[in-house]
């Protein structure tokens, strides 16, 4: 009888342990629209957050299909971080589909100094213009510090009991980032004033940070696929400006850039602009390392 | 310009000039179809038929933090109609339920809730034309939607109660049109009961159980089970009893999509529908009706669509259904037809030069007819060129 009781007790203890270990005590449940935000959240929240993201690193964040599994991710989330400025037009459908009444939505563009805010009337003749400004601000690594500060603030508000932990992680990350900024500044110093061609209008924040001159884009207008007439125009621009590199996001087809390269001798560089956008790119710092090493090494 | 057109343009003009951040989203979808065929007896045999353009105006926006409202006003063949007018309570209800109320497309299968301009093909599936009608299942009522507590995959259950007019319009009769008087009743019909069909106010119940599985980062699968049941009308029997003329639809749908990148994707999708209904028969040589045995018929389709180079797609669809496509609505036709069959093969090529803003599709559909009484009818082939524009904000596509 005693043996039976002890056996039952042990089973109960094991079951309780299993239940407790499977529960994420004190973790803030976070979903981010992009893997860049996800990485920053993980750096600050570490094991006190349960984080996930929607848009794959190798996926164009402008176009995300509405999958019910994404709604499931948002269903139990407490915080939802987004880039904002109209990048994630799909986000609201996911929020509505999740039916999550307690979801707090944080737009990380709030503290960003926006660029390319169109003046006057915006319409589709200008391509995929973002009326509130260019949303690709995370490609300026100084903006990552602003994003991290916003994330910290949201985590502190959600989980004040972990404030010291979050603040310490944030400081550590900012300190690492500051060191990398010095390194990246140094690498990009030689590129200052050089002409460059980009595929899509994602790079204004990066280019202005490092003093690059954008000679042109492979897309005739933002989001509009390359055309032969625009390619011909670009040949002349490249020759006149002396640009020697086309930088493009690795989720776009390199067919048109390669055609231009074969005519002009310009070099095509494909880079990820999100975490997990390429094998081995598993953090924002590694992503920026890859971008800066490739651009500075080829200009 | 007709009065209706003038009112519509006035409305549109005013809405456009009153735009502000708090106004609803407004978008216009225009469709131009040009068809031809080489079918004997067709007035357009070997000729190009420029169909009247059709237009859909979508208006939607938030009513408050918890609810949205939507309307779809359609212009088709010279007249305007409210295709959909509904509200949705998205959050804040018990059990995380969502409520949709008003006139809307029913979630019976996957394709019915998708507007025609967003299909990869140019023609509504044959089984939908027979069992849902040319405009699809679109009814007045409300739907409750629940997310089921499955942790590892998304599953949902929807149940709705509808007026049922769209169901009755397919296989039933116009209310009050088929009244049979007592002196017309025949005697000696052992296998059948005589009746008159009267109006019914009985609502139709429709339900759907859906499950979505993420198979990998690039491929997903959704499976759905659908059901609807209701009464098409009431029959007055010769013994004075009133009997309901009932129907039941059952359905299954399946969608698989593989999309490794922005430039290519493969979609394989199918739907099958089972139709069980009481039918009424017309006695030969007499102008009255008898209640026949219930029929069991079915229909369905399967297609694939392959998108390549971002802007092109092509696909093939096979359709099968009981009933003869193009038949007039009657007591032995369309959804009441358990003897004749139509099958079809269609193919299409689509060109989408700039995302969702323009679409040009060229499609062909070949219909084959199988008559129970041995009637020989030539196969019919139609070619269609479809041009679609989309003006205004468009939402991301749901799976």
């Amino acid at each position: 009888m005693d043996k039976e009781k002890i056996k039952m007790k042990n089973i109960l203890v094991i079951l309780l342990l299993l239940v407790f270990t499977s529960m994420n005590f004190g973790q803030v449940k976070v979903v981010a629209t992009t893997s860049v935000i996800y990485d920053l959240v993980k750096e600050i929240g570490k094991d006190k957050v349960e984080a996930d993201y929607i848009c794959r690193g190798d996926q164009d964040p402008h176009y995300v299909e509405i999958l019910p599994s994404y709604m499931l991710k948002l269903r139990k989330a407490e915080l939802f971080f987004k880039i904002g400025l109209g990048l994630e037009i799909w986000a609201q459908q996911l929020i509505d589909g999740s039916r999550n009444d307690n979801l707090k939505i944080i737009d990380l563009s709030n503290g960003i100094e926006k660029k390319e805010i169109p003046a006057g009337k915006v319409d589709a003749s200008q391509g995929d213009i973002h009326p509130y400004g260019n949303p690709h601000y995370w490609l300026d690594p100084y903006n990552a510090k602003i994003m991290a500060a916003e994330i910290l603030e949201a985590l502190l508000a959600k989980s004040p009991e972990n404030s010291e932990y979050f603040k310490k992680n944030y400081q550590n990350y900012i300190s690492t980032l500051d060191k990398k900024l010095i390194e990246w500044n140094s690498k990009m110093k030689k590129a200052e004033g050089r002409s460059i061609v980009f595929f899509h209008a994602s790079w204004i924040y990066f280019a202005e940070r490092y003093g690059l001159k954008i000679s042109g884009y492979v897309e005739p207008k933002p989001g509009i696929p390359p055309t032969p007439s625009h390619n011909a125009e670009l040949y002349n621009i490249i020759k006149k400006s002396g640009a020697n590199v086309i930088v493009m996001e690795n989720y776009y087809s390199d067919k048109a850039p390669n055609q231009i390269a074969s005519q002009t001798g310009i070099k095509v560089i494909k880079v990820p602009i999100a975490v997990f956008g390429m094998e081995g790119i598993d953090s924002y710092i590694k992503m920026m390392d890859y971008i800066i090493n490739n651009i500075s090494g080829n200009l | 310009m007709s009065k209706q057109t003038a009112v519509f343009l006035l409305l549109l003009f005013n809405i456009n000039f009153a735009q502000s951040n708090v106004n609803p989203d407004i978008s216009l979808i225009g469709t131009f179809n040009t068809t031809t065929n080489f079918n004997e007896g067709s007035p357009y045999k070997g000729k190009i038929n420029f169909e009247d353009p059709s237009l859909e105006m979508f208006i939607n926006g938030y009513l408050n933090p918890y609810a949205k409202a939507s309307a779809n006003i359609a212009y088709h063949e010279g007249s305007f109609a409210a295709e959909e007018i509904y509200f949705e309570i998205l959050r804040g209800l018990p059990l995380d339920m969502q409520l949709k109320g008003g006139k809307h497309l029913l979630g019976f299968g996957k394709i019915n809730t998708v507007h025609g301009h967003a299909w990869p093909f140019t023609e509504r599936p044959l089984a939908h034309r027979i069992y849902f009608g040319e405009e699809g299942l679109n009814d007045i009522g409300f739907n409750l939607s629940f997310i089921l507590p499955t942790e590892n995959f998304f599953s949902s259950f929807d149940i709705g109660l509808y007026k049922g007019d769209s169901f009755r319009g397919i296989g039933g009769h116009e209310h009050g049109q088929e009244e049979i008087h007592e002196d017309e009743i025949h005697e000696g019909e052992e296998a059948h009961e005589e009746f008159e069909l009267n109006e019914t106010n009985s609502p139709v119940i429709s339900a759907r159980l859906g499950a979505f599985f993420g198979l990998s980062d690039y491929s997903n699968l959704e499976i759905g089970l659908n059901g609807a049941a209701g009464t098409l009308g009431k029959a007055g029997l010769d013994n004075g009893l009133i009997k309901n003329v009932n129907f039941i639809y059952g359905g299954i749908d399946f969608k698989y999509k593989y999309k490794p990148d922005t430039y290519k994707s493969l979609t394989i999708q199918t739907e099958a529908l089972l139709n069980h209904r009481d039918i009424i028969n017309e006695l030969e040589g007499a102008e009255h009706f008898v209640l026949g045995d219930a029929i069991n018929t079915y229909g369905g389709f399967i297609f694939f669509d392959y998108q390549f180079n971002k802007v092109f797609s092509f696909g093939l669809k096979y359709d099968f259904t009981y009933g003869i496509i193009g038949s007039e609505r009657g007591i032995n036709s369309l959804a009441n037809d358990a003897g004749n069959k139509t099958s079809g093969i269609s193919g299409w090529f689509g060109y989408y030069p700039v995302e969702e803003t323009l679409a040009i599709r060229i499609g062909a559909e070949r219909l084959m007819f199988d008559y129970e009484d041995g009637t020989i009818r030539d196969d019919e082939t139609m070619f269609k060129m479809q041009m679609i524009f989309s003006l205004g904000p468009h939402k991301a596509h749901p799976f």
Side-chain angles (χ1 to χ4, degrees), chain A residues 3-274:
Chain A
K3 274 186 179 176
E4 280 295 306
K5 273 186 177 174
I6 291 165
K7 202 176 168 185
M8 283 299 290
K9 215 173 172 182
N10 286 341
I11 291 170
L12 261 173
V13 168
I14 291 166
L15 280 173
L16 280 171
L17 272 173
L18 281 171
V19 169
F20 276 80
T21 49
S22 67
M23 288 169 76
N24 301 313
F25 281 109
Q27 284 191 316
V28 182
K29 293 180 178 67
V30 176
V31 174
T33 54
T34 71
S35 53
V36 164
I37 304 174
Y38 163 83
D39 181 58
L40 298 180
V41 169
K42 286 297 284 179
E43 289 290 352
I44 299 163
K46 294 202 185 287
D47 59 349
K48 300 287 183 196
V49 295
E50 185 189 334
D52 206 338
Y53 59 95
I54 303 291
C55 181
R56 293 192 319 266
D58 61 353
Q59 193 176 10
D60 184 347
H62 298 85
Y63 307 106
V64 170
E65 195 171 32
I66 305 298
L67 302 182
S69 52
Y70 297 155
M71 295 169 191
L72 211 54
K73 286 184 181 187
L74 281 179
R75 192 160 158 70
K76 288 179 181 168
E78 295 163 285
L79 301 177
F80 182 51
F81 291 102
K82 64 176 187 175
I83 293 290
L85 300 178
L87 181 77
E88 307 105 328
I89 57 163
W90 37 270
Q92 193 58 46
Q93 283 165 265
L94 296 181
I95 294 165
D96 289 347
S98 76
R99 308 160 189 210
N100 185 343
D101 200 18
N102 299 312
L103 189 66
K104 185 168 168 51
I105 300 150
I106 300 109
D107 184 335
L108 294 179
S109 71
N110 287 335
I112 303 292
E113 192 185 323
K114 284 98 179 166
K115 296 184 190 297
E116 293 184 337
I117 301 171
K121 192 188 171 200
V122 174
D123 64 37
S125 69
Q126 298 155 295
D128 279 345
I129 292 286
H130 295 276
Y132 306 109
N134 192 313
H136 304 87
Y137 55 80
W138 70 93
L139 291 173
D140 173 359
Y142 284 79
N143 282 339
K145 292 173 72 174
I146 299 169
M147 294 165 74
E150 285 266 5
I151 291 165
L152 173 69
E153 198 180 316
L155 290 177
L156 291 178
K158 191 73 213 170
S159 180
E161 65 275 19
N162 291 314
S163 62
E164 289 310 311
Y165 182 78
F166 292 145
K167 281 178 187 169
K168 188 179 151 216
N169 294 339
Y170 168 77
Q171 287 303 340
N172 288 342
Y173 187 66
I174 293 298
S175 158
T176 309
L177 203 54
D178 280 338
K179 283 177 197 154
K180 292 304 289 187
L181 287 172
I182 294 165
E183 180 191 326
W184 293 333
N185 288 347
S186 159
K187 284 181 176 172
M188 289 301 291
K189 190 76 185 161
K190 63 176 183 178
E192 206 172 297
R194 299 292 299 272
S195 291
I196 190 165
V197 173
F198 291 107
F199 185 94
H200 178 69
S202 313
W203 296 88
I204 185 68
Y205 294 92
F206 180 87
E208 288 195 3
R209 169 62 56 198
Y210 295 113
L212 300 172
K213 277 190 201 163
I214 302 176
S215 303
Y217 294 99
V218 177
E219 288 181 339
K221 287 184 176 170
I224 306 300
T227 60
S229 61
H230 180 69
N231 289 354
E233 198 182 317
L234 206 54
Y235 299 152
N236 296 328
I237 291 170
I238 289 167
K239 279 179 188 168
K240 274 185 193 167
S241 67
N244 61 345
V245 166
I246 295 175
V247 175
M248 63 180 293
E249 294 85 341
N250 62 350
Y251 48 74
Y252 287 126
S253 163
D254 57 9
K255 195 177 162 190
N258 284 339
Q259 278 173 358
I260 296 164
S262 67
Q263 296 284 325
T264 59
I266 199 168
K267 189 167 183 179
V268 178
I269 298 172
K270 294 177 84 166
V271 296
I273 65 160

